[in-house]
Structure formats: C-alpha cells, structure tokens
C-alpha cells in the first residue's frame, strides 16, 4: 500500500486532530503517504485534498476541531457520485480511506467499499457517544468536561442567589452527554430523550430537597428532549415550584476546545490501529473501545445496530444522588 486518504465527516469533535496525527505518523513509519480530503465526503467528491506528512500534523494534538474540515454532504448518498469519487481516488493513487465520524459517515464508507472496492476503516468521532460497538467516541469526554465547567460555575451563582438553572446540553437523539454531565455535576435532575423522566418526578424531588434547605438546583436537559429542550422544561418546573430560573444553552461550545487526555489517548490509539489494519490488508472495520481496550469492530455490525441504549444504571444514580 503506497497511499491512503483520511477524512472527517459529520459534526466535528475534539480529538479528531489527534486521530489524524496518529494515522499520518503511523502511516509514514510504514512508508505509506497520506492525503487529507477536505470537508468530509465533499472533498472526496471534488477531488480536493492536501498532502499530510509528519510535520504538517505537528502541533495539532491539543487543538479542537479538525484541520481538514468537515461537513455533511448529501450528494454522497447518490451511488453514481460515490462511483465517480472512487474512480478519482484510484486515479490519484489513493488505495484506502480512513473515515472519522458517526454512523452516517460509516454508512458512506461501507457503501464505498461494497460498491467500489475501496478499503475503508472507521474511527468513531462524535461528541454524542452514540455509536454502537464502542464504549466511548472521540470528543465525548471533552464535551462532558466542557458542560461540567459551565455547571460548576452556575452552581456558584445558584448557591448565592437561590436561582434555579436549566442547562441544555447537546445530543439530539442521545442522552449520553446529559446523563454523564448530570451525575458528574451533581445535578438535581436530568431529562434525556431516550428515557424521559416525568417532569413531575423532577418537580417532586426538587420540592423535597428545597424543604431540606437546598438552594442551588441545576437541571440538565438534553437538547433533543420531547419536552422541547430546556426552554420547554424550565417554565413547567419553574411555575410548579414558584421559583426564579434561567435557561442556559451550551450548544456548540461543547463541540470545540482543547481535547482532554482521554480523547487524545483514544484518538491516538484509534488512528494508529486504523492504519495497522488497513496496511495488513483488512477493510470494513471500526476501531472501537471495548473493555477499556481499542479493538477492531466490523463496520457492518456498527451500522446495523441502532444507537446504544441509555445507561439505565447511570440514570438511576443521577436520581438517587440528587438530595
Ligand atoms: P454522522 O456521521 O455524525 O452520523 P451524518 O449522519 O450527518 O453524521 O452523516 C455524515 C455524512 O455521511 C453525510 O452528510 C453523508 O455525506 C454521509 N452519509 C450518511 N449516510 C449515508 C448513507 N446511507 N450512504 C452514503 N453516505 C452517507
Ligand atoms: O452529532 C453531534 C451534534 O453536535 C449533536 O449533538 C447536535 O445535535 C448536532 O451535532 C448539531 O448539529 P449542527 O452543528 O448541524 O447544528
């Protein structure tokens, strides 16, 4: 194998750069050149890429975002567009592709393999931690820590003023960020899309803790929640408790920033192992985390399964520890 491509697709996630760096440096040690396609599948379709070498991926391990850009590329859903992209890859001497993204991006990668014979490997990169077959996705740990920082700050002002805060975190169809943030941030309540806790239960629990003298109440709400996100939940709870409140939407702040140690580590192992697998002639796998180790997981299984279910133990813990 002489030349491989790499792209980042879908929403960006902190740690994607660390994965690119690891893939490039592992490849160059094996005498394989790497090109980075710009802005996800859009770069593949347009034949837009940059050469990446050991130096061009220097000083990026600590940077959020992705140096090669990302996008959502609806054109890539068309098999004819994919066939043209594969032909262009071949003409450019690119023999395999590493795709960093979520399950949608992996569907694109598998289609490229099955229809056009391109060898592909996936790395789960999304802050949502909603990819089947891996315990953690690149970016998740950083996103949760960003949300935690905000919650710790809100707690100071909440404790001082008695103000209640509804903090909306990302995750349109996944409550993973909300749940982990709620437990680690000591939230008084959490509302997630997969297991919508009755808002009534949150109200009852807060009423009890207020009676015990608790002043600071943080309620974490996932953006995708049926109740309409934090702006939907807040007035209902605020009115029932007759308590002043504010809504804080963290939004895209969770997508950026310095990746944590965990995200850099997971990304570095993943980038290196993806290249090892491709160089050994394998294709159609994702490097996932299972039992705390990085392993190859068939991409076909990843996309055949729906998002991992909400962690029921963590949900119970969040409820049990609010007091
Ligand atoms: P994520 O990868 O984070 O799940 P998306 O679902 O938005 O994000 O997918 C990212 C991109 O992957 C899409 O814009 C499209 O280019 C490609 N893609 C998604 N689903 C498919 C599919 N079924 N076939 C081919 N390409 C796809
Ligand atoms: O999938 C990652 C994610 O950040 C989700 O948590 C969020 O719902 C979505 O992307 C936001 O996408 P956009 O940047 O297109 O609004």
């Amino acid at each position: 194998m002489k030349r491989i491509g790499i792209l980042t697709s879908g929403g960006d996630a902190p740690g994607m750069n660390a994965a690119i760096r690891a893939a490039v440096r592992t490849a160059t040690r094996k005498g394989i050149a790497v090109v980075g396609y710009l802005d996800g599948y859009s770069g593949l379709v347009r034949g837009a890429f940059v050469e990446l070498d050991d130096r061009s991926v220097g000083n990026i391990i600590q940077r959020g975002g992705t140096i090669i850009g990302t996008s959502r590329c609806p054109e890539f859903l068309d098999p004819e567009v994919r066939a043209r992209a594969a032909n262009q890859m071949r003409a450019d001497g690119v023999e395999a592709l590493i795709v960093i993204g979520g399950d949608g991006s992996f569907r694109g990668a598998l289609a490229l393999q099955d229809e056009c014979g391109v060898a592909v490997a996936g790395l789960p990169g999304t802050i949502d931690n909603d990819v089947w077959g891996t315990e953690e996705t690149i970016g998740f740990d950083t996103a949760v820590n960003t949300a935690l920082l905000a919650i710790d700050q809100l707690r100071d002002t909440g404790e001082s003023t008695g103000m209640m805060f509804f903090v909306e975190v990302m995750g349109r169809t996944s409550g993973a960020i909300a749940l982990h943030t709620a437990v680690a941030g000591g939230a008084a309540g959490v509302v997630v899309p997969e297991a919508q806790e009755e808002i009534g239960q949150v109200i009852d629990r807060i009423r009890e803790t207020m009676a015990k003298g608790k002043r600071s109440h943080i309620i974490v709400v996932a953006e995708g929640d049926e109740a309409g996100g934090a702006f939907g939940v807040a007035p209902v709870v605020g009115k029932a408790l007759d308590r002043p409140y504010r809504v804080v939407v963290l939004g895209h702040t969770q997508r950026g920033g310095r990746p944590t140690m965990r995200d850099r580590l997971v990304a570095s192992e993943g980038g290196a192992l993806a290249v090892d697998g491709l160089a050994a002639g394998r294709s159609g796998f994702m490097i996932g985390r299972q039992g705390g180790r990085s392993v190859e997981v068939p991409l076909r299984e990843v996309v055949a399964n729906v998002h991992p279910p909400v962690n029921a133990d963590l949900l119970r813990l969040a409820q049990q520890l609010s007091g």
Side-chain angles (χ1 to χ4, degrees), residues 76-305:
F76 206 68
L77 299 175
D78 179 349
E80 280 179 24
V81 171
R82 291 197 290 268
R84 273 206 307 276
N87 286 338
Q88 186 59 50
M89 277 178 78
R90 267 186 217 106
D92 293 330
V94 180
E95 298 165 65
L97 184 69
I98 297 175
V99 172
I100 311 177
D103 58 342
S105 304
F106 295 159
R107 279 193 187 89
L110 264 183
L112 207 58
Q113 174 195 266
D114 295 349
E115 297 163 5
C116 316
V118 175
V120 295
L123 291 177
T126 162
I127 63 167
D128 291 348
N129 205 27
D130 61 350
V131 176
W132 188 90
T134 186
E135 286 150 13
E136 50 194 319
T137 54
I138 297 166
F140 173 64
D141 189 61
T142 308
V144 170
N145 277 292
T146 299
L148 270 182
L149 182 66
I151 284 187
D152 290 348
Q153 291 174 348
L154 291 170
R155 194 180 273 283
D156 289 345
T157 171
E159 191 67 38
S160 308
T161 61
M163 183 73 75
M164 200 158 56
F165 285 103
F166 293 83
V167 183
E168 184 176 297
V169 297
M170 269 193 167
R172 203 170 286 149
T173 54
S174 162
I177 295 178
L179 209 49
H180 286 72
T181 301
V183 172
V190 57
V191 189
V192 294
E194 301 93 334
Q196 194 188 346
E197 192 191 25
E198 286 303 311
I199 295 176
Q201 288 176 30
V202 174
I203 294 171
D204 290 345
R205 269 207 316 280
I206 296 182
R207 199 174 270 125
E208 277 172 32
T209 55
M210 274 177 178
K212 286 193 262 175
K214 184 176 165 77
R215 274 169 69 80
S216 149
H217 288 87
I218 311 257
I219 296 97
V220 179
V221 185
E223 62 171 333
D225 183 72
E226 277 171 24
F231 279 106
V233 172
V236 181
V237 180
K239 190 168 174 214
L241 297 169
D242 191 24
R243 183 88 170 211
Y245 67 84
R246 295 285 186 273
V247 172
V248 179
V249 178
L250 300 184
H252 287 73
T253 60
Q254 298 153 96
R255 286 252 290 263
R258 257 179 96 231
T260 58
M261 176 278 284
R262 272 232 67 70
D263 278 331
R264 296 183 201 194
L265 205 80
V266 169
S268 297
E269 280 193 18
L273 289 176
V275 172
D276 286 349
L278 290 172
R282 294 190 290 280
S283 176
F285 61 89
M286 172 189 85
I287 303 297
R289 300 279 299 174
Q290 295 186 357
R293 300 187 54 224
S294 297
V295 292
E296 289 185 12
V297 185
L299 268 180
R300 212 173 297 287
E301 282 181 27
V302 175
V303 302
N305 285 285

Side-chain angles (χ1 to χ4, degrees), residues 28-41:
T28 57
R29 304 285 177 282
K30 294 178 191 288
I32 301 170
V34 185
V35 300
Y37 286 101
L38 302 177
D39 301 330
Y41 287 116

